[in-house]
Structure formats: structure tokens, C-alpha cells
Amino acid sequence: MKDSNSSIKNLLVINIITPIILFIMCGAILVICSIKPYNLVNKYLNLAFMDNMKVSSTDDGLILVENDIITDYSSETSSTGDVIYPTFGEQYAVLSCPTIDMSVPVYWGSNTTLLEKGACQSPSSAVVGNDGNSVIDAHVNTYFSNLIDLEVGDEVIIYTKYGEFSYEVRELIEFDKTDKSYVNKDDENILTLYTCKIQVLGSSDIRQGVVCDLVEKKFYTDIQE
């Protein structure tokens, strides 16, 4: 009789524990699968931009413009110059963070399609090269997956068709998505990069990133249109 009761108890324990273990395993697999290995290929993204300008359209009517962004300009530069204003959906820059081996295309504007292709800059922020706060964000499980590895003092470079702009990380930030103080216009010449804080289940309301001070402007004196 005791053996029978013991067997029943063991069966009940197995029936209770097994679904819990399976649930945890499935959740872990989903988390792992959601983290796409974009950072392993980001350094090769420029290979896709072989033409000076590629224009394509998406199912939602968005016109994509992908430019050949020079990251090894060797001619003369100037500390002053004119920016070239991008159009919505245009890839107008490459964001480089050497210390974390990150190289990401930057698109002007933001929607689901553009966030799948790279980082996005808010049109309400300053075009890189102009005075003000340039605000760029990307998904944490793709292009900005290692953004939080940046440290104060690290170099961040923005390459555009018209110049190269160097920044230095000044501050690590964390804020609620309703807090607009970091993404609003600013009198300072700064660069703000942010993404969602990683959360296992659901989407996070917390944003993480960095604020960078402008260190140097190098406008190209010989721009190839």
C-alpha cells in the first residue's frame, strides 16, 4: 500500500514539474531566437551599398534611398561647411562605435520598415553637422544590442555624404519612454543614442543609451554627388 501511495505521489510531482520545465525551456528558446546576430555582420553592411544611390519602394509605399557612404575619405576637409538634408526613408549616414565593433546604417525618419534596416534618426532632431541634439535609436535585439557596452570617454563617429563627425560619450542614460528630456531639441551640439532596456517578456518602458559631446567636424571639400 505504501509503495502504491509513493508511486502516485511521484507521478503527481512529475505531472506538475514537467509542464513548468517545458515552459521555462520554451521561453529560453524564444529569447535566444529573438536575438539576431546582426552585430556579427554589421561591419560588412557597406558592401551592400555598391551604387552611389539605390532607390526602392516597400509594400507600405515608403521610398527607400540607400547611399554609398564614404568611411575612408582622404581628401581635404574643413571645420565648416553645409549639410545635405536627407529625405524621409533615406540612409544618409553610418554610425560607428569602434570600441564595441559596431557599424550601423542610419536612416532619416522612423517606422517599422526602417527599424528593420538599421538605426533611425528622429526628423525633429538636428541633422548631423547642424547645431543641436541629433537623436538616433534602434532595436535592442538587432542593431543596438551592444549599445549599453559603451562607456564614458568612448569615441562615436557619424559618417555622412558631406562629412565626418566625431563625438565622445559624456553620459550613460536611462529614462522612461514618456520622458522626452533626452530626445528634445537642445542648444548643445550633442548626439543621443538610445534603445529599449532588455526585458524577457513583453516590451520595456525603460530606455537606455548615451549622450555624446561633439568633438570634431570634418566637412568634405570635394563631395561627389
Side-chain angles (χ1 to χ4, degrees):
M1 189 68 177
K2 289 183 179 180
D3 291 340
S4 177
N5 290 336
S6 178
S7 298
I8 293 173
K9 288 181 180 179
N10 290 337
L11 184 61
L12 287 174
V13 170
I14 292 173
N15 288 337
I16 293 172
I17 293 178
T18 299
I20 295 175
I21 293 175
L22 289 175
F23 177 79
I24 294 173
M25 290 177 63
C26 290
I29 292 171
L30 286 174
V31 171
I32 293 172
C33 291
S34 69
I35 302 175
K36 303 176 184 178
Y38 280 97
N39 286 318
L40 297 179
V41 297
N42 276 341
K43 65 180 68 177
Y44 304 113
L45 285 172
N46 289 332
L47 296 177
F49 308 141
M50 298 304 293
D51 299 329
N52 185 52
M53 182 176 68
K54 293 181 180 180
V55 180
S56 61
S57 59
T58 63
D59 293 338
D60 58 6
L62 175 68
I63 302 299
L64 294 174
V65 179
E66 295 176 344
N67 294 301
D68 182 18
I69 305 299
I70 301 172
T71 58
D72 58 352
Y73 183 85
S74 58
S75 297
E76 293 184 3
T77 61
S78 173
S79 59
T80 59
D82 297 321
V83 304
I84 299 175
Y85 285 85
T87 59
F88 192 94
E90 179 178 0
Q91 187 251 322
Y92 90 107
V94 170
L95 167 66
S96 175
C97 304
T99 57
I100 57 173
D101 196 27
M102 185 170 75
S103 180
V104 180
V106 180
Y107 289 82
W108 183 254
S110 182
N111 64 16
T112 302
T113 300
L114 294 177
L115 284 168
E116 285 294 321
K117 295 183 69 64
C120 292
Q121 179 168 344
S122 168
S124 63
S125 67
V127 177
V128 173
N130 273 352
D131 292 339
N133 183 16
S134 301
V135 181
I136 299 174
D137 70 290
H139 286 316
V140 69
N141 62 338
T142 56
Y143 295 95
F144 273 7
S145 61
N146 57 347
L147 180 69
I148 60 172
D149 292 334
L150 283 172
E151 298 179 352
V152 173
D154 283 349
E155 180 184 34
V156 177
I157 306 170
I158 301 285
Y159 299 98
T160 69
K161 293 193 299 181
Y162 50 86
E164 173 186 330
F165 305 89
S166 299
Y167 298 82
E168 183 178 288
V169 176
R170 171 219 295 179
E171 177 187 4
L172 310 182
I173 58 174
E174 183 171 302
F175 58 98
D176 189 271
K177 69 176 184 179
T178 60
D179 181 1
K180 303 301 181 182
S181 60
Y182 288 107
V183 300
N184 284 337
K185 293 181 178 179
D186 200 291
D187 294 333
E188 290 186 280
N189 291 331
I190 58 176
L191 172 68
T192 301
L193 310 175
Y194 75 92
T195 188
C196 295
K197 186 174 183 178
I198 294 178
Q199 185 168 294
V200 175
L201 298 177
S203 58
S204 174
D205 290 336
I206 303 301
R207 305 293 182 256
Q208 290 181 313
V210 295
V211 175
C212 310
D213 290 320
L214 179 66
V215 175
E216 186 177 24
K217 293 182 180 182
K218 292 182 180 179
F219 285 94
Y220 302 150
T221 57
D222 181 20
I223 301 175
Q224 299 295 323
E225 293 289 350

